[in-house]
Amino acid sequence: MGHSAETVTLTTAQAIVRYLANQWIDIDGVETRICGGGFGIFGHGNVTCLGEALYNEQDALPLYRGQNEQGMGFAAAAYAKAYLRRRFMFCTASAGPGTANLLTAAALAHANRLPMLMLCGDTFITRLPDPVLQQLEHFGDPTFGVNDAFKAVTRYWDRITHPAQVIQSLPAALAIMLDPADCGPAFLGLPQDVQGWTYDYPRSFFDKRVHRIRRQMPDSAEVADAVALLKSAKRPMIIAGGGVQYSGAVAELTAFAEATGIPVVETIAGRANLVHDHPLNIGPIGVTGSDSANTIAEEADVILAVGTRLQDFTTGSWTAFSHDAKLIGLNAARHDAAKHLSATVVGDATLGLVALQQGLSSYRTTESWTQRAQAERAKWNGYVAENTRVGNGPASYAQAIGEVNRLCHPRDRIVAAAGGLPAEVTANWKTLDIGTVDVEFGFSCMGYEIAGGWGARIAQSQKEPERDTIVFTGDGSYLLMNSDIYSSVLTEKKLIIMVLDNGGFAVINKLQNNTGNESFNNLIADTPTATAQVGVDFEAHARAMGADAETVSSPAELEAAFGRAQAAKNTYVIVMKVDPYEGWTTQGHTWWEVGTPHVTTSDKVRKAHLDQEATRHKQRNGV
């Protein structure tokens, strides 16, 4: 490695790693590295050059060895979420299938607006050895390969064809990952030969740099318009999304609501913006929401949507609101602020809420509206209490959720993702402290649960090591991706994992039945090709990966088992069978648009189609 006074000669890979190691961020007055390290599985496409560079910086950028590239990406996404997008992890994968395995995780990070940097092997720029192992050949375009697939699922994409390019590409990727409006995953394709090529880089490129997250002040005219609209409201409501937490605007949201008396409802990503018993927390909204939130949403005349992208599970496929209701979108991203012809307040949630509160000054909504919302929440609380009560029926998700909710520490972090558990957690979990719930429902990705729990625990161990990360997963997601149980054991990042076994994909079976279809290919018992009806011993499987594990026969046994899990130092798996048909949360749902057959020979399917279409008149058509 040569150098002069003004330059230093490095390989492309060494330059990337050195640059990342010198990027810092100010978080509440404390400087820390933006990149918390990375997740890596080596192959011939990244081990010889990028691996060499990472070996020499492993103290600054620790490298966690994953078991599956998709799981690495999920862990990186959960880590970024736990750090409220102020820190990220990189993922490195080899050329070919290793990189292709990251596609799903990149899509998850993109949908959830989460920073993640992918450093992936690529084919040789010289093409001299072509076709190489695992290379896809497109006869009319030799530049086109697996890595091009990531263009659809990343916010920033580049293929480094010369070492000098990283001087431009790395800061550009970092800028997007730290941008409140454009945040998302970044991808750098690293050809195997270019990784080892050298360049005389300016030494100043590697100087320590401290970043801050931009806070965009909203336009005063947009604030004034929003204030006027809110002042005209007789029944205003606030939808609080995940962007409230990313902005650090929980205190400002709470102050705004308390000053105006406006009821607050939460999206799935916005769960844990307010604790469950705050008097203005009216509950989760939407398809997996609460009767309380959905009732006032139907009656609201002005809706202030803060930090939410208004996904269909929030809006009930746009049936949750009156056709006459007016929307105000307060969001750092113009794209989200302007949805459905909202009055836009484009800017930071913290600054926006402060500006709106100043504009409203002495405004307060009517006491009767606030009290109506609170009365609805009281009724919903009663439903949840009965819905989660042990002994109210067969073992259910809700009972397990209620028991863990009762027994966990307020600062424990809850992780859930696909299947029926996101709905059940969203509806039934009583938030005990701010920012403690991670329900991944942007991409609703099976397999996120355990891998994401691992990433969340890595972050938690750096901030609150004495607390637990608690994962809720069904048997379907467990079978799809469970190997990061082993990762958590290897790295001593303890998880408490609740495996709730309902014999297959029970929530999709429920949807199948609710649309008039017969049970088919979702529950193992209803899969014609599953001719050997063998159960899975999840306890033994988890133990085989080094975890402690036990099986409980009923929710009544959860208290003692959970106590043992809390006392354990190792990852602890608790397995319990739940009923696939009974015990679902039946209240709190809005309409949700799913495609149903317009022509069928089944009377049940025809009736379900007509029932589905009967609610369509409530759907807002983009305005």
Side-chain angles (χ1 to χ4, degrees):
M1 186 183 297
H3 59 84
S4 69
E6 295 79 25
T7 64
V8 56
T9 305
L10 299 170
T11 68
T12 303
Q14 291 163 357
I16 291 170
V17 173
R18 184 174 294 194
Y19 176 84
L20 290 176
N22 284 288
Q23 305 307 302
W24 296 68
I25 189 166
D26 183 329
I27 302 177
D28 300 326
V30 178
E31 293 181 4
T32 187
R33 281 190 176 86
I34 294 176
C35 184
F39 298 97
I41 293 177
F42 287 137
H44 67 269
N46 63 344
V47 68
T48 55
C49 294
L50 188 60
E52 185 269 349
L54 288 168
Y55 177 83
N56 292 314
E57 290 282 1
Q58 58 186 288
D59 290 339
L61 299 173
L63 186 66
Y64 292 87
R65 180 193 175 281
Q67 315 306 321
N68 177 291
E69 290 87 357
Q70 182 173 311
M72 295 189 329
F74 290 162
Y79 180 93
K81 190 182 288 191
Y83 268 105
L84 300 176
R85 306 195 307 190
R86 289 163 171 81
R87 301 188 76 195
F88 67 87
M89 299 282 271
F90 68 81
C91 295
T92 179
S94 186
T99 286
N101 282 343
L102 274 170
L103 267 170
T104 302
L108 178 142
H110 191 285
N112 286 282
R113 318 290 169 82
L114 295 171
M116 174 174 71
L117 177 62
M118 288 164 283
L119 303 172
C120 295
D122 209 328
T123 52
F124 290 82
I125 286 299
T126 65
R127 301 185 195 157
L128 291 174
D130 285 11
V132 298
L133 179 68
Q134 301 173 335
Q135 180 176 347
L136 300 184
E137 293 183 272
H138 289 268
F139 307 141
D141 185 354
T143 69
F144 192 52
V146 166
N147 290 4
D148 294 272
F150 285 83
K151 291 177 180 178
V153 291
T154 52
R155 293 285 191 179
Y156 184 86
W157 186 98
D158 197 6
R159 175 177 283 123
I160 305 302
T161 59
H162 188 281
Q165 288 178 354
V166 300
I167 298 173
Q168 187 275 335
S169 283
L170 280 171
L174 190 64
I176 281 182
M177 288 190 288
L178 293 179
D179 190 286
D182 294 333
C183 186
F187 181 94
L188 294 182
L190 304 176
Q192 295 167 62
D193 45 5
V194 177
Q195 285 185 47
W197 291 355
T198 62
Y199 184 73
D200 294 337
Y201 291 95
R203 283 183 172 276
S204 59
F205 182 63
F206 305 106
D207 288 346
K208 178 181 177 180
R209 184 176 179 190
V210 180
H211 300 258
R212 293 173 181 81
I213 301 295
R214 179 184 305 107
R215 287 195 182 277
Q216 184 68 45
M217 178 66 75
D219 182 82
S220 58
E222 290 192 338
V223 171
D225 289 345
V227 165
L229 193 53
L230 283 166
K231 283 183 174 179
S232 73
K234 294 180 172 59
R235 297 175 303 280
M237 181 183 79
I238 300 167
I239 301 176
V244 171
Q245 291 182 44
Y246 294 143
S247 172
V250 167
E252 287 74 16
L253 169 72
T254 306
F256 180 87
E258 290 174 349
T260 60
I262 299 177
V264 178
V265 302
E266 294 179 325
T267 70
I268 297 174
R271 289 294 266 112
N273 280 323
L274 296 176
V275 293
H276 76 98
D277 57 357
H278 189 284
L280 290 171
N281 182 353
I282 310 304
I285 187 173
V287 177
T288 60
S290 58
D291 285 344
S292 50
N294 290 330
T295 295
I296 67 164
E298 283 189 350
E299 299 175 8
D301 56 357
V302 175
I303 298 159
L304 173 61
V306 185
T308 171
R309 61 194 187 99
L310 295 174
Q311 181 213 38
D312 66 337
F313 264 64
T314 297
T315 67
S317 299
W318 290 101
T319 63
F321 316 123
S322 163
H323 283 274
D324 298 327
K326 303 297 183 185
L327 293 171
I328 301 168
L330 169 54
N331 206 295
R334 172 200 53 78
H335 175 81
D336 294 322
K339 285 175 179 170
H340 274 237
L341 302 186
S342 296
T344 59
V345 182
V346 179
D348 174 67
T350 296
L351 299 179
L353 286 167
V354 169
L356 288 173
Q357 187 174 342
Q358 290 173 345
L360 288 168
S361 59
S362 60
Y363 165 85
R364 190 170 179 85
T365 192
T366 62
E367 193 69 24
S368 60
W369 172 241
T370 305
Q371 290 175 350
R372 166 146 176 68
Q374 291 169 332
E376 290 296 324
R377 178 62 198 257
K379 287 193 291 185
W380 179 251
N381 288 345
Y383 172 77
V384 169
E386 175 57 25
N387 196 41
T388 58
R389 181 178 61 81
V390 172
N392 66 9
S396 67
Y397 282 165
Q399 291 177 37
I401 290 164
E403 285 299 278
V404 173
N405 205 171
R406 180 174 67 84
L407 299 167
C408 74
H409 188 277
R411 288 301 307 167
D412 287 346
R413 188 166 185 83
I414 308 305
V415 179
L421 278 164
E424 297 294 316
V425 170
T426 300
N428 294 292
W429 187 264
K430 296 186 292 187
T431 299
L432 304 176
D433 207 343
I434 301 301
T436 53
V437 178
D438 175 3
V439 177
E440 192 290 296
F441 223 50
F443 207 53
S444 182
C445 219
M446 289 178 65
Y448 175 86
E449 298 91 339
I450 294 171
W454 181 41
R457 177 57 192 158
I458 291 171
Q460 185 187 51
S461 67
Q462 295 166 350
K463 300 190 296 180
E464 299 176 279
E466 70 283 1
R467 301 279 63 89
D468 282 313
T469 294
I470 303 167
V471 172
F472 286 102
T473 184
D475 53 302
S477 280
Y478 181 100
L479 289 172
L480 179 81
M481 188 171 292
N482 52 62
S483 57
D484 286 311
I485 291 176
Y486 185 47
S487 303
S488 72
V489 172
L490 286 173
T491 57
E492 298 185 274
K493 298 296 183 283
K494 174 198 169 183
L495 301 174
I496 296 177
I497 302 172
M498 303 292 303
V499 180
L500 303 176
D501 177 9
N502 54 26
F505 305 141
V507 74
I508 297 301
N509 180 72
K510 181 163 74 87
L511 176 62
Q512 197 171 45
N513 294 162
N514 288 347
T515 53
N517 290 280
E518 301 299 325
S519 295
F520 171 57
N521 212 60
N522 283 314
L523 297 179
I524 301 297
D526 298 320
T527 300
T529 53
T531 54
Q533 291 285 311
V534 178
V536 176
D537 189 339
F538 292 102
E539 177 186 338
H541 188 267
R543 286 187 181 277
M545 288 185 285
D548 298 334
E550 65 175 289
T551 301
V552 297
S553 61
S554 70
E557 297 179 7
L558 273 178
E559 181 170 2
F562 193 76
R564 289 187 285 273
Q566 288 174 309
K569 296 190 180 302
N570 191 24
T571 288
Y572 204 100
V573 176
I574 301 173
V575 183
M576 184 180 76
K577 286 189 179 296
V578 295
D579 194 283
Y581 293 103
E582 302 296 326
W584 295 102
T585 298
T586 57
Q587 295 187 26
H589 307 316
T590 61
W591 187 73
W592 182 41
E593 181 162 9
V594 293
T596 53
H598 287 231
V599 175
T600 178
T601 58
S602 166
D603 290 338
K604 288 198 303 180
V605 172
R606 182 181 302 109
K607 181 182 183 303
H609 168 69
L610 294 174
D611 289 345
Q612 170 81 358
E613 291 301 307
T615 308
R616 187 175 295 280
H617 68 279
K618 297 177 66 176
Q619 189 174 46
R620 293 167 63 113
N621 296 324
V623 295

